[in-house]
Amino acid sequence: MNTSSNAKNAIILSGKMLSPGMGSGKAFIYRDLLTRYDEFYDIEEPDTDDELERFSLAVAKVSDDLSILVSRVSREMDKNLSDIFSAHITMIKDPALTAEVKHEITENLVSAGSAVRTVFRRWERRFQRMEMNIAKHKADDIRDLLRRLIASLAGVRGHSLEHLPEGSILIARRLLPSDTIYLARKNAVGAILEYGGLGSHAALFAREIGLPCITGVQNAVELIPSGGATLVDANAAEIIIHPSLDQQHHFQLKTQALIHDKHQARLNAQQVAISKQGKKIAVYANVACVADTQKAVDNGADGIGLYRIEQVFLGHQTPPDVWTLVNEIRIALAPAKHLPITIRLLDAGADKPLPFMASLRETNPALGQRGIRFLQAYPDLLQTQLEALLQLSTEFNLKILVPMVTLIDDIKAVKQQLLKLCAKLALEAPKLGAMIETPAAALSLQAIAKYADFMSFGTNDLTQYMFAADRENAAVERYFDDVHPAIFRLFEIAHQDLPEVKFSVCGELAGRTDSIEKLINNGVTILSVAPPLVPSIKQKVRQTP
């Protein structure tokens, strides 16, 4: 974070964009009230039954509140976001977790609140120490549940953000999932956080509700005065506290220009995107559910560039069979039935463990059995998916994408299995593509192209492996740079090796407007982005020389 002053009393802070946009208002300092609840005391042995009962009632109350929240979020926001709170219900009823709390009460003779705090903090630290990104997000989930339980035990029914003043810029150390629900009421016009990664639940909610948000602002809670006039330019990751009149005027002009650009992009969203040099660029969308797909279609997506099939698997306690996959994918993609669709095979392993399989014991899961490596280790899972996708290929214009292709044998084995199944079922083989997510794959495209009909670059993992830097690890954040010249050098080499091949990009880089010209000049003809970004990316393509 940088701090500077360029006008009397005006302070400029910088961080990292979590969710785009601009907002101005008065700073509202949000401090977690968890430690203020006086529920931590010792008990006598005869009191244990009472404390166990209090704990059970608190779990039941929180579960009921979460069930109501699931319905509300699913109805008002997005099914994917409501799934976060469905998972919270499962977690709070976890037998191992509840048993540990009860043991703490009975063996150490402490209050229910003290036991909950001790056990949940222990679990939070366990998840924080894990290398998998999904485990790190679960640490936030555990902390969120801890706060809910402690509040319930203390008889606190409200939330300090319930009465957030209209037009507030929220300042917080971090946001947990239940915090962001109150921000959906639009009282907040921006948010500044000390902590929070791009893949965090807070980031997902902020982007969903269109809340401009900047993270990585050190000591924001102490530096920014409560009630102080604050400008948030998340697009530039810049904050101005106590802005001058000139700074306010410049901010207003920039905001008006942004609103105008968004309006124009929306008006032209259903039209094709052609650069000034006459290059037609298809702008697709990345989706995981029917709500995503509908948004993609409404926003003018030319196709679905990435359907994440793992959403189906993560929703089942046993491996889904062929017809379960067919039915759930059919529903998820129905709004885009008239469009080209790319479905990625199960990308499990590393930070995406499956609920019906024991976690793999790997020292470094990011470098272990993930993507196609995982599927080759569990061929039944691959067979089921291929059969389901072949069935769907008779209804949809679909292509199949193989995740984490690194060696030629990765794509070759899938191609052979697909052709064998096609012969057995008397069906025409859909196009098969390789997801390029490692430098080794990017430098081996000529060999991979013998078995792949198309190539799609996943730049999130490509950047991670290029710089040996986990994008969720704040300690190496400066190394994770998806616009570094080395990344574009890989695209340049790929284009030189296969000048006639049209590449697609489905990572976050595809949604960065300042990188579109470089991508187009290196053979990229499909950009696949989050559904809300489709209009603005199309507009940027039209402005590209």
Side-chain angles (χ1 to χ4, degrees), residues 222-284:
E222 282 74 31
L223 283 173
I224 301 175
S226 178
T230 306
L231 306 180
V232 173
D233 183 351
N235 298 328
E238 183 178 87
I239 303 146
I240 304 178
I241 305 162
H242 299 313
S244 67
L245 290 177
D246 284 345
Q247 288 170 325
Q248 292 179 52
H249 180 64
H250 177 72
F251 187 87
Q252 289 170 356
L253 292 177
K254 193 172 179 180
T255 300
Q256 290 168 2
L258 182 64
I259 292 171
H260 177 268
D261 289 346
K262 283 186 175 181
H263 178 67
Q264 288 300 117
R266 186 73 177 158
L267 287 177
N268 299 324
Q270 300 297 332
Q271 300 176 18
V272 297
I274 301 175
S275 72
K276 290 185 176 180
Q277 288 190 2
K279 294 180 181 178
K280 182 179 177 181
I281 305 299
V283 181
Y284 286 11

Side-chain angles (χ1 to χ4, degrees), residues 387-404:
E387 288 187 25
L389 297 185
L390 282 176
Q391 295 292 341
L392 287 164
S393 69
T394 63
E395 306 173 38
F396 295 85
N397 174 19
L398 68 80
K399 297 187 289 186
I400 299 173
L401 185 59
V402 182
M404 199 66 182

Side-chain angles (χ1 to χ4, degrees), residues 419-431:
L419 293 177
K420 190 181 297 183
L421 270 175
C422 288
K424 176 183 175 182
L425 300 173
L427 292 172
E428 184 178 347
K431 289 186 177 180

Side-chain angles (χ1 to χ4, degrees), residues 5 149 154 294 350 356 462:
S5 177
L149 279 171
Q294 189 61 60
F356 48 80
L462 183 61

